[in-house]
Amino acid sequence: MDETSDPVELGVTLLANFEDAELSMAEAVDRIETITTDPHLTHEILETAERRGIIERESGLVRPTTGQYVSFESQVVTREGDFSCQRCGAGLSTGHFIRFEDDHELGPFGSSCIRKVTGRE
């Protein structure tokens, strides 16, 4: 499996780009579930991100440490097509995709779910 299709690497990249100063563990897991619902992979994503210094975890909170966030102007791209939202499962004719600097891509999402995943709502 190459790095761009590795769910752990994609999850760590997502955690590195949270805009929130802190999230509850449930909120962080909700966002990770856009990549995987496997509890073992979710745990591995959180452990890897913490080990690399991308997040800090304490008392049920997750705090991103990178200061990075997704830029809607340059990193969120839209495509027309027949999609299902990766977060809520709704049918979409326009999919929003997050394109990370390391060539990872996450999506599709609907217009409101993209805001939730990136911490804008």
Side-chain angles (χ1 to χ4, degrees):
M1 177 181 297
D2 68 42
E3 185 174 297
T4 59
S5 63
D6 181 354
V8 173
E9 289 303 317
L10 185 55
V12 169
T13 300
L14 178 63
L15 288 170
N17 286 275
F18 280 177
E19 189 166 341
D20 310 84
E22 68 180 27
L23 298 139
S24 71
M25 184 60 72
E27 291 168 321
V29 168
D30 179 62
R31 294 186 194 177
I32 292 169
E33 285 180 342
T34 63
I35 298 165
T36 181
T37 56
D38 180 324
H40 299 290
L41 278 175
T42 298
H43 179 75
E44 187 175 345
I45 290 167
L46 289 164
E47 289 292 318
T48 301
E50 186 174 31
R51 191 172 53 251
R52 292 181 187 172
I54 291 168
I55 62 168
E56 295 174 347
R57 294 191 292 172
E58 182 182 347
S59 302
L61 295 175
V62 175
R63 292 183 184 92
T65 61
T66 63
Q68 300 174 3
Y69 62 91
V70 172
S71 167
F72 266 78
E73 294 76 27
S74 63
Q75 289 179 273
V76 175
V77 295
T78 58
R79 295 189 194 118
E80 300 300 317
D82 185 21
F83 303 110
S84 293
C85 178
Q86 199 162 329
R87 182 174 181 276
C88 72
L92 307 169
S93 59
T94 302
H96 294 75
F97 296 81
I98 304 170
R99 186 173 294 150
F100 296 108
E101 292 176 11
D102 57 6
D103 293 329
H104 289 120
E105 188 172 90
L106 183 60
F109 300 104
S111 58
S112 62
C113 284
I114 189 71
R115 299 187 69 73
K116 289 178 182 172
V117 170
T118 58
R120 301 279 172 101
E121 186 172 290

